[in-house]
Amino acid sequence: MGSPSILSRLPVLILLVPLVVGILLFKVVPFLWLPITLAALSGVALLSLMVLMKSPAVALRLRGFHIIPLSMFMIAVGWFAAYIATPPELNLKEVNSKAVLGRIESIDFHEKSMEMQVKLLKLDEGEAPLKKSHIILSTRGCDYESAPGDLIAFKLNIEPVRNLGNPDEMDYATYLLHKGIRYRQHAKLESVTKVGESPTLLTRAENLRQTLEHKILNSSLAPETQSMLIAVLLGNDDFITPETREHFSVVGVAHVLALSGLHVAIITLLIWFLLFPLDYMRAKKLRLVITLLLLIGYDVLTGMSPSVVRATVMIAFVFMSTLFYRKSTPLNSVAAAALVILVFSPGALYSVGFQLSFITVAALIVFFQTFEIKYPSNRLLKYLYSLFLTSLVAMLSSTILTAYYFNTLSVMTVLANFVILPVFPIFMIIGAVILLLLTMGGSIGWLNSVLDWMTTFINGSVNWLSTWRLGHNDVYVTWVAVVVYYAILVLVTMWLYRRNIRWLLAAGVVLVIGLAHGIVVDVTTPKQGMVIFNSYNSTPVLCHNHGKALLWVPDVENDFDVEAFKRHHKAFLAHYSIDSLMLVDSTICSIEGGIVNHPYAMMFDKKILSVGKGHWKNYEPADSSEVKFDFLLVTKQYHSTIAKARKLFDVKTIVLSGDIYDDNIPALEKECQELKVPYYSIKTSGAFILHNR
């Protein structure tokens, strides 16, 4: 079968592929002349074809060339979509220190702070309006009466969102940029004033979702059941504990906690079932329309995530084909869903949820349509076999992306799905019934008990499977490895389908390239080194040597969360093959190449002194020249001057910790400059890294 045949079966690909190319080109060539030129060329090419194809003979020869102008036009559309969705750069000197009016789009409450996504509307009266920018506004303190849709006034003092600069960290700044956020601001609670309300459809949906969340949180359900119900029905996984999230990720079923096509399919079946009386009224088409409208309302309620929108668009195609007596192709529906999402939200292309969702669904469709599967005649065995194949294909198609983004490789996915998936639809249906009862002010005790038991079963099964250490591993995966993996997967699939040895040989060549790349990465990765991480609330210092590491946190005494550190820096630990991490306590701790006796440390012949909260203040040497340090590590508890520390110690370089308050950094940097002493500001420049090869 040739390419025209494929495109005739999947016509949406003619639009989708160049649209994706255009979105990617925006990052590489962010110049307006590119889409304008492409759009003009597409117009010229289309007119030329129209003129040339007046002759039947020429039209027959050129009938396939209409793809060229269409592709150029869609590339331009993709570029413009990415351009429109990218938040504008503001002149901070002009806008900062001025009062601004904004609308709260969403809000998250924490123990002693709250974080809001705010849409900036306009500056002071008489000033030019802003360009509809969105910012992250965090406050010291909480106002629990604040809600999405509220209009607030505050003095603007925004700064660009920056990454912490830690090795192998998530690119948080780019992540927010793709969500339309370029700036953030931290302010005191009393400096933010509510001045009115201006609700939109999305903020009303956000308020409704929070109302439903409060009803669940105030119910008699167990806390674990409440958090899981909110996650799988309302799309908010903030109440899931980090430990639970980690366990689900370890066994490869983290998708259960995030709204996806599975959840939408269950909700659709539930709505369809509840509307069964319409069939008896001979209104099946009305039943389809109402189901689709309610499903769209559910999308809005849960935040319009790409996976939910994708599933809804696919279902809409199926429904429309029934309504208008047209045949729907599954892969065409998937491509159409991707097209709709990317036109209105091009940043979704870089979202892990979007990538995992579409790749997994496309792989399942291709597998079951390409290969003729022989199922057992027994219904139960047929269901189990189908579940096994579905889980296996889903795992093979998504495992490398999961490893790339989350640094976890699990072979427990198939077994975990066997245990959880038969129970999960029942959990969602009972949960939906309980939520419906809660909205009406009622509840059924035994139904709550059943849901609590199911939560215990699901969490217990996941926790038990996560203890199988051979079933998963922390890994470091590069983008080259991702490309190599999918290339091999496609080539092996083609070999199984075509039975041509050339496909298998090509897969072998790609595998050799991947192995060579892995060897290069391993050889070029330092096996020894020291890293002082950038952190807002501590100063973690890590010394590693061939898989063993010493973690020293000089400004935290006994309450440092090592497990949280491991979760946040999983990619770094996997990259440097660190499998043994020892936290420094009040005693002398050491590994080969590093020793810590707080507040002093020796790491690969480098002497370090931490000044802040510690015993260094009581040190009064008779001769300061006797004490020489390579690095003086200054933490936020340090309330003295650099000059005073240098009177006591001979220091080569000052290292300013990342947890020092922003207000103190300029003064300390200025003093270092006046004393002409070399310094390094972690908050400004990122983690302080010393490799020892």
Side-chain angles (χ1 to χ4, degrees):
M1 299 293 288
S3 177
S5 176
I6 295 175
L7 292 178
S8 64
R9 293 198 306 269
L10 304 173
V12 180
L13 286 181
I14 301 175
L15 304 177
L16 178 61
V17 173
L19 179 78
V20 171
V21 172
I23 294 172
L24 295 175
L25 274 178
F26 175 75
K27 293 191 70 174
V28 181
V29 190
F31 306 112
L32 194 60
W33 58 263
L34 176 66
I36 294 176
T37 302
L38 287 173
L41 288 175
S42 67
V44 172
L46 183 61
L47 289 174
S48 301
L49 286 174
M50 291 175 63
V51 172
L52 292 173
M53 293 178 70
K54 288 183 177 181
S55 168
V58 177
L60 184 63
R61 291 196 298 268
L62 298 180
R63 63 180 180 178
F65 286 87
H66 69 279
I67 294 178
I68 296 176
L70 183 59
S71 296
M72 288 192 294
F73 177 75
M74 288 307 298
I75 291 174
V77 171
W79 195 100
F80 273 115
Y83 172 76
I84 294 171
T86 301
E89 292 189 46
L90 302 176
N91 189 330
L92 300 187
K93 292 183 179 179
E94 290 184 2
V95 300
N96 275 343
S97 300
K98 294 182 178 180
V100 66
L101 179 69
R103 179 174 58 233
I104 300 176
E105 301 288 312
S106 64
I107 183 168
D108 291 318
F109 294 101
H110 304 289
E111 186 177 354
K112 296 181 180 179
S113 64
M114 61 182 184
E115 188 172 87
M116 300 170 282
Q117 181 177 328
V118 178
K119 183 176 183 179
L120 303 182
L121 301 178
K122 62 178 182 178
L123 295 170
D124 281 331
E125 188 175 351
E127 298 281 355
L130 295 168
K131 300 177 182 179
K132 309 292 185 181
S133 298
H134 291 76
I135 69 168
I136 296 293
L137 176 64
S138 56
T139 62
R140 302 174 191 171
C142 293
D143 179 8
Y144 293 104
E145 294 184 358
S146 298
D150 287 352
L151 293 176
I152 56 174
F154 58 98
K155 185 174 288 187
L156 207 60
N157 188 25
I158 58 176
E159 61 179 6
V161 176
R162 295 189 180 92
N163 296 322
L164 292 175
N166 291 319
D168 298 307
E169 70 178 348
M170 171 189 172
D171 191 351
Y172 183 65
T174 302
Y175 167 77
L176 285 183
L177 190 64
H178 291 151
K179 294 176 72 69
I181 300 171
R182 189 185 291 273
Y183 301 100
R184 69 175 304 144
Q185 178 176 339
H186 187 69
K188 295 180 179 179
L189 180 62
E190 54 270 21
S191 66
V192 180
T193 306
K194 178 180 176 180
V195 295
E197 295 180 358
S198 179
T200 63
L201 175 62
L202 292 179
T203 59
R204 291 180 189 276
E206 180 74 16
N207 283 323
L208 176 58
R209 183 172 67 177
Q210 290 186 2
T211 300
L212 296 175
E213 289 175 2
H214 291 153
K215 289 184 178 296
I216 294 175
L217 294 172
N218 293 328
S219 70
S220 60
L221 293 168
E224 295 81 6
T225 307
Q226 293 175 353
S227 59
M228 185 173 291
L229 194 59
I230 291 173
V232 303
L233 281 184
L234 301 178
N236 182 7
D237 60 357
D238 291 344
F239 297 97
I240 301 292
T241 64
E243 293 77 13
T244 300
R245 200 188 308 272
E246 178 71 11
H247 291 158
F248 274 76
S249 177
V250 161
V251 299
V253 289
H255 60 277
V256 170
L257 299 177
L259 277 180
S260 62
L262 171 66
H263 304 71
V264 175
I266 295 171
I267 293 296
T268 304
L269 290 175
L270 180 60
I271 296 173
W272 180 258
F273 174 76
L274 293 176
L275 294 175
F276 75 91
L278 292 176
D279 267 11
Y280 293 100
M281 301 168 60
R282 297 183 179 179
K284 185 176 181 179
K285 290 188 176 182
L286 180 61
R287 188 182 183 187
L288 290 171
V289 172
I290 294 177
T291 301
L292 185 57
L293 291 176
L294 290 176
L295 197 56
I296 293 173
Y298 180 73
D299 288 7
V300 176
L301 175 66
T302 55
M304 303 288 289
S305 67
S307 57
V308 174
V309 174
R310 183 262 308 160
T312 302
V313 173
M314 287 186 62
I315 292 171
F317 267 77
V318 175
F319 282 10
M320 292 299 177
S321 65
T322 303
L323 288 171
F324 298 106
Y325 305 102
R326 298 285 183 177
K327 186 177 179 180
S328 175
T329 305
L331 268 181
N332 212 41
S333 298
V334 172
L339 184 69
V340 171
I341 293 173
L342 293 178
V343 166
F344 294 99
S345 181
L349 179 64
Y350 306 98
S351 164
V352 57
F354 178 91
Q355 295 171 14
L356 284 172
S357 176
F358 279 94
I359 286 176
T360 303
V361 173
L364 288 170
I365 293 173
V366 170
F367 176 80
F368 285 105
Q369 287 190 343
T370 302
F371 299 100
E372 186 176 341
I373 310 298
K374 295 182 179 180
Y375 294 99
S377 57
N378 183 278
R379 287 189 177 182
L380 177 60
L381 292 178
K382 180 179 180 181
Y383 169 75
L384 293 176
Y385 187 54
S386 176
L387 181 59
F388 169 77
L389 288 178
T390 301
S391 300
L392 182 61
V393 173
M395 183 187 74
L396 291 174
S397 62
S398 63
T399 186
I400 193 67
L401 273 183
T402 302
Y404 177 72
Y405 284 108
F406 305 112
N407 303 105
T408 296
L409 181 63
S410 176
V411 296
M412 304 298 297
T413 303
V414 176
L415 179 57
N417 281 332
F418 257 96
V419 176
I420 294 174
L421 289 188
V423 179
F424 189 70
I426 304 174
F427 176 90
M428 282 197 65
I429 292 172
I430 295 177
V433 172
I434 290 176
L435 181 57
L436 185 62
L437 291 173
L438 290 174
T439 57
M440 296 186 297
S443 65
I444 300 177
W446 65 267
L447 206 57
N448 291 358
S449 299
V450 170
L451 201 65
D452 286 338
W453 178 86
M454 296 182 72
T455 303
T456 302
F457 172 78
I458 293 173
N459 285 340
S461 300
V462 169
N463 294 344
W464 176 62
L465 291 173
S466 67
T467 61
W468 295 20
R469 304 305 301 178
L470 295 177
H472 71 278
N473 197 9
D474 292 341
V475 294
Y476 176 76
V477 176
T478 65
W479 66 268
V480 175
V482 175
V483 174
V484 167
Y485 179 87
Y486 280 116
I488 293 175
L489 199 62
V490 170
L491 291 171
V492 170
T493 302
M494 292 300 297
W495 171 70
L496 291 172
Y497 180 63
R498 299 287 187 182
R499 294 297 179 178
N500 190 323
I501 194 64
R502 287 180 296 179
W503 295 106
L504 195 59
L505 292 175
V509 172
V510 176
L511 178 60
V512 171
I513 295 173
L515 293 175
H517 170 73
I519 292 172
V520 171
V521 171
D522 183 65
V523 170
T524 56
T525 300
K527 301 299 185 290
Q528 300 173 328
M530 179 191 74
V531 179
I532 306 178
F533 288 89
N534 188 6
S535 176
Y536 293 120
N537 55 8
S538 61
T539 310
V541 183
L542 186 140
C543 174
H544 68 95
N545 189 344
H546 290 85
K548 295 183 179 180
L550 196 66
L551 183 60
W552 175 37
V553 192
D555 48 358
V556 176
E557 293 181 347
N558 300 317
D559 57 348
F560 185 76
D561 192 342
V562 179
E563 294 304 317
F565 177 86
K566 290 180 180 179
R567 287 194 299 269
H568 294 155
H569 301 286
K570 182 183 291 186
F572 169 81
L573 298 176
H575 187 183
Y576 292 89
S577 304
I578 297 173
D579 52 17
S580 175
L581 183 63
M582 179 172 60
L583 180 66
V584 173
D585 54 20
S586 58
T587 62
I588 298 177
C589 298
S590 66
I591 62 170
E592 185 179 352
I595 182 171
V596 177
N597 183 15
H598 182 74
Y600 311 103
M602 172 80 76
M603 296 183 180
F604 303 109
D605 299 325
K606 301 295 183 182
K607 297 179 182 178
I608 306 170
L609 169 65
S610 170
V611 293
K613 188 175 183 180
H615 303 291
W616 70 273
K617 299 178 184 178
N618 302 323
Y619 185 80
E620 296 181 2
D623 183 3
S624 60
S625 62
E626 295 178 358
V627 183
K628 297 182 179 181
F629 289 92
D630 294 284
F631 303 108
L632 182 72
L633 180 57
V634 181
T635 65
K636 67 180 178 183
Q637 291 93 345
Y638 185 69
H639 301 295
S640 186
T641 62
I642 301 298
K644 183 177 180 180
R646 293 198 71 207
K647 286 182 180 179
L648 296 177
F649 307 102
D650 185 357
V651 179
K652 291 183 180 179
T653 304
I654 306 295
V655 179
L656 304 177
S657 167
D659 71 340
I660 298 176
Y661 296 123
D662 291 339
D663 298 340
N664 297 338
I665 287 287
L668 292 172
E669 290 180 344
K670 183 178 180 181
E671 187 180 4
C672 289
Q673 294 169 0
E674 291 175 348
L675 295 173
K676 297 182 179 180
V677 57
Y679 73 94
Y680 184 94
S681 175
I682 291 178
K683 187 180 288 290
T684 303
S685 304
F688 184 77
I689 304 173
L690 284 178
H691 290 310
N692 186 35
R693 296 183 182 274

